[in-house]
Amino acid sequence: FAATRIERVAEARAVCFAYDTKFEVPAEMTTDMQRRDAEQFTRVPKYEEWFGANDGEPSERYLQMKATADQWLEQRRFNG
């Protein structure tokens, strides 16, 4: 979810522009989002357990989706 934040913020900015409204992300909101990201990261082992991650070989569907996600993230890394 954190990886798509830049797109969601851009969309919010576009909506504000369309309605001639000032766009601003308060510092406390950014701090809270970073805190929540870090909190979610600590839950990864539990999510893996709940959803059976790392139980055997990944499916072909998973591998295709992961490749798509990796490509998407790589493009954003180089394109800002």
Side-chain angles (χ1 to χ4, degrees):
F1 194 70
T4 61
R5 183 171 293 126
I6 192 166
E7 278 81 10
R8 291 181 285 113
V9 169
E11 188 174 324
R13 182 178 283 117
V15 169
C16 286
F17 180 78
Y19 286 94
D20 196 29
T21 302
K22 181 179 176 186
F23 177 80
E24 184 178 339
V25 178
E28 56 273 2
M29 184 181 289
T30 300
T31 301
D32 188 55
M33 286 186 281
Q34 292 169 342
R35 179 191 59 77
R36 289 173 188 239
D37 293 344
E39 193 176 282
Q40 283 293 346
F41 187 73
T42 67
R43 296 179 180 154
V44 168
K46 199 53 147 172
Y47 293 147
E48 289 176 341
E49 178 186 330
W50 290 342
F51 297 110
N54 302 320
D55 289 346
E57 294 299 315
S59 69
E60 184 60 34
R61 181 172 183 259
Y62 170 84
L63 293 173
Q64 290 171 352
M65 293 177 79
K66 184 178 185 316
T68 300
D70 287 343
Q71 181 181 24
W72 184 88
L73 289 170
E74 190 69 13
Q75 287 174 349
R76 268 108 195 116
R77 188 168 73 99
F78 288 115
N79 296 328

